[in-house]
Amino acid sequence: MIAIASDHGGFDRKESVKKHLEERGIEYKDFGTYDKNSCDYPDFGRAAAEAVAKGECEKGIVICTTGIGISIVANKVKGIRCALCSETTTARLTREHNDANMLAMGGGMVGELLANEIVDTFLDTEFSNLEKHSRRIAKLED
């Protein structure tokens, strides 16, 4: 189960990512927003992050216009490691090295096809389990 959320600036990209997840047969829970009316990204990003932190969802995807604000709010939730990615290399490396459990993207920064590639890379890449990366993640959690 993937938690997904956006503000109005990321709404279109969120909707295209949801369609992509459906095509892949991946379940998701949409934490809003549900239209393009102006809203505050912390409300929706925090709800998705809390669902991941509580174990209700395995991973999360959050989207605002730049991805910056919504990634910051997600990272305020204990246990969340949210990475802002605008291409596939960082999406792969944040999973391999940081075991990131949330992906942030900028709806105004990445197009639909690239966003889907980033999502696929993020969801399909496993954590490396190398000791040095596990040690660093433990320090983050402290």
Side-chain angles (χ1 to χ4, degrees):
M1 177 69 68
I2 305 300
I4 191 165
S6 75
D7 68 353
H8 57 283
F11 179 78
D12 288 336
R13 192 62 56 240
K14 180 187 72 156
E15 293 302 302
S16 67
V17 168
K18 284 170 38 180
K19 181 179 176 187
H20 182 67
L21 293 174
E22 289 169 6
E23 289 169 355
R24 288 195 54 187
I26 297 173
E27 293 185 59
Y28 62 85
K29 182 173 182 183
D30 187 345
F31 288 86
T33 192
Y34 305 108
D35 57 43
K36 292 185 186 182
N37 293 323
S38 183
C39 61
D40 298 332
Y41 60 81
D43 299 334
F44 308 103
R46 182 178 320 281
E50 288 175 350
V52 174
K54 292 176 186 173
E56 296 168 10
C57 295
E58 179 186 352
K59 290 184 179 78
I61 300 168
V62 289
I63 307 168
C64 66
T65 301
T66 64
I68 297 168
I70 207 159
S71 68
I72 292 170
V73 74
N75 279 313
K76 295 281 186 180
V77 175
K78 184 171 177 53
I80 295 302
R81 291 177 307 283
C82 183
L84 173 57
C85 299
S86 58
E87 37 66 41
T88 58
T89 300
T90 53
R92 177 178 55 82
L93 291 173
T94 198
R95 288 288 306 127
E96 289 177 355
H97 295 187
N98 311 117
D99 198 16
N101 52 11
M102 292 193 73
L103 167 67
M105 293 187 292
M109 306 293 117
V110 296
E112 181 177 341
L113 294 178
L114 179 56
N116 291 343
E117 290 176 7
I118 294 167
V119 166
D120 288 346
T121 301
F122 182 82
L123 295 179
D124 296 342
T125 302
E126 296 295 327
F127 176 54
S128 69
N129 283 306
L130 292 175
E131 188 278 331
K132 65 182 179 181
H133 297 311
S134 296
R135 181 181 68 242
R136 293 166 186 161
I137 291 167
K139 288 181 178 184
L140 286 173
E141 294 301 313
D142 286 343

